[in-house]
Amino acid sequence: MLSLELAIVLLSIFIGARIGGIAIGFAGGLGVMALALLGIHPGNIPWDVILIIMSVISAIAAMQIAGGMDYLVSLAENLLRRHPDKITLLAPLITYFMTLLAGTGHTAFSTLPVIAQVAKEQQIRPSRPLSVSVIASQIAITASPVSAAMVFFAGLMEPKGISYPLLIAICVGSTLSAVILTAMVANFLGCELKDDPIYQQRLAKGEISLQPSNQVALKPGAKRAVFIFLVAIILIMAYATAISPAVGFITAPQLSRDQAIIALMLTAALTITVSCKIQTDLIVTAPTFRSGMSACICVMGVAWLGDTFVEANLELIQHTASTLLHSYPWMLALVLFFAAMLLYSQAATTKALMPAALALGVSPITAIASFAAVSALFVLPTYPTLLAAVEMDDTGSTRIGKAVFNHPFMIPGILAISLSVCFGFALAHLLL
């Protein structure tokens, strides 16, 4: 039965991945229904994760309609154009911190065209900064104080004596260090742009645009929207720290951390809407809103499917894996890596596997160090930000090979996650 159940899970994920996008969430529902027909009781739908994603995305979409994203992109473009020779380092730092603040990697969409254009103007191979920037936007989810994956993981760690601010400090330190080192290595990946035959062919055919993109006029409320959003994030971090048992400033909070994030983000969205005088019907048309709501469906279907399978076979999984993980704790990172590759969501992977790993007796240090591995969304070249980077690079340097897996995101992705796990073990042993 276990083999049949696992086959259903993998087949459902495969079908969803082949269709792409939101379909992986639809396929999760199909898998749950198939397992239910075998007599398996459906698991829990991760409503807490979904509601956090919805509230954060609502605030980001309101900020985008108010012009806040254009303002942030203009700041990023000014920085890159002042230091174009350092684009391979600066570009991933920009996407990392945008994701860190927003809690979603979809913010990278707006900066990718700028990165590609500046690199091309400087005759720097665009695949170098683009590949690391996409990876940075994915891995920063595991360090963001408002991401659904981090909020859920923090809830698992606090009963283990790991405070919210300490967890954030370890994750930011390990992932940021990994991104910086990966960016340095990326400078040596691939041939120089002038030596790339595909670039030369496209250049000869006139298929490459060398004109800089036009500056977008900022809306009157752009800066105000960004300020409101940043204030909301600061309040969330302050409240989450204050109610942490390790800090204990607030011993009997009226709102849980999840509820505080949802309430503050919805309030921020309302404040931006009113103070910046934006039309509410435009918010649902924002690209970040559409991609965020798509992510909710994906998390709902895939995490529900994963929880159904794990709960049905928890005793067998515990018996089989406990000895292996006790002897080789780093194996947890590999498990999370391959699961994220299929589940296509940091939040869904965390929700589906982290509770089971802790139930097996995995130490908090191992769990924290391995957490970055849930960001392995780059292995299959079908993730939206990855595809966007490929489309926006008209030089052809950011291309997917015939073997599917031989794409420019693979080496930076594996390197960044490996370094994050190593740094995570070092920092966790040092600080815990």
Side-chain angles (χ1 to χ4, degrees), residues 178 181-183 185-186 378 410-420:
L181 286 177
T182 302
V185 173
F378 56 85
M410 185 67 79
I411 294 176
I414 292 175
L415 180 60
I417 286 180
S418 300
L419 289 172
S420 293

Side-chain angles (χ1 to χ4, degrees), residues 343-391:
L343 297 182
Y344 258 42
S345 166
Q346 294 95 332
T349 305
T350 304
K351 182 80 176 181
L353 295 181
M354 273 300 187
L358 293 170
L360 292 172
V362 169
S363 70
I365 288 178
T366 298
I368 294 171
S370 303
F371 184 40
V374 303
S375 299
L377 314 182
F378 56 85
V379 179
L380 298 174
T382 52
Y383 197 73
T385 48
L386 186 152
L387 291 175
V390 174
E391 290 297 321

